[in-house]
Amino acid sequence: MENKTYQNWRVVSTVQLGASAEEVWKLVGGFYILPQWHPDITLSEVPEKQPDEKEIRRVLTFPGQAPTVEQLVFMDNENFHYRYKWHAGPWGEQVQQYKAEIKILELDASGNSCVVQWSSTFWYFEDALTQFYKNGFDNLLKIFGPATHTNQP
């Protein structure tokens, strides 16, 4: 068996989109609607025990993998920002201490462009998230188009 050394990772990915932060947040800001914009996630469900628990969680299904349960840690709809962490499932037993956040920032006063930032920290032997974030961002570019703004005085 190959010896793989775990290390502490911080991944930060961004994409500039040709839409307002508010418009993008309507899709990206929904904790349970990740499959509507991320092609690698086939299903997001509310856990059966959710009504009995105070923590807000989602169960994500990825093709060919056991479901992963994530927990919402912080939600700020006004500022287009939420944080979450891994809660249960085999993926997070391998990619340890996974914590992530999604933020959307307006790029200009016209409201025609924004930047989405998806970042995370985790322990693993390799970068386990950059390609996953890129796949989601590539789909957002198909939905909203790229930012096309000019810097004018």
Side-chain angles (χ1 to χ4, degrees):
M1 183 173 154
E2 186 179 328
N3 184 11
K4 297 179 180 177
T5 304
Y6 274 52
Q7 54 187 317
N8 191 8
W9 287 86
R10 174 156 173 80
V11 171
V12 179
S13 297
T14 61
V15 64
Q16 292 184 11
L17 301 174
S20 70
E22 184 175 4
E23 182 181 355
V24 174
W25 185 251
K26 288 177 184 174
L27 181 61
V28 175
F31 186 64
Y32 293 105
I33 61 172
L34 212 49
Q36 291 183 19
W37 63 271
H38 201 298
D40 295 347
I41 301 170
T42 55
L43 186 62
S44 175
E45 301 173 286
V46 177
E48 285 182 25
K49 295 181 180 178
Q50 184 67 68
D52 302 325
E53 299 173 340
K54 73 174 189 177
E55 294 86 5
I56 297 172
R57 296 187 178 132
R58 63 184 174 198
V59 180
L60 299 178
T61 301
F62 300 82
Q65 295 182 29
T68 293
V69 180
E70 294 178 337
Q71 179 175 314
L72 185 66
V73 175
F74 171 82
M75 175 65 79
D76 182 350
N77 284 307
E78 187 175 318
N79 294 300
F80 314 122
H81 176 206
Y82 77 82
R83 289 193 296 264
Y84 64 97
K85 65 181 181 177
W86 173 84
H87 177 73
W91 182 84
E93 293 167 6
Q94 295 174 26
V95 181
Q96 299 173 1
Q97 300 176 29
Y98 175 68
K99 296 176 183 163
E101 69 180 347
I102 294 178
K103 296 179 185 178
I104 303 177
L105 304 166
E106 206 74 63
L107 280 181
D108 57 40
S110 70
N112 294 323
S113 59
C114 68
V115 63
V116 179
Q117 178 182 294
W118 199 351
S119 61
S120 60
T121 58
F122 55 92
W123 282 86
Y124 200 50
F125 61 85
E126 64 184 2
D127 177 354
L129 276 301
T130 296
Q131 187 60 52
F132 174 74
Y133 293 167
K134 182 183 180 319
N135 294 348
F137 285 168
D138 287 349
N139 200 50
L140 288 176
L141 282 166
K142 289 177 188 174
I143 295 168
F144 296 106
T148 56
H149 65 281
T150 58
N151 292 332
Q152 296 181 1

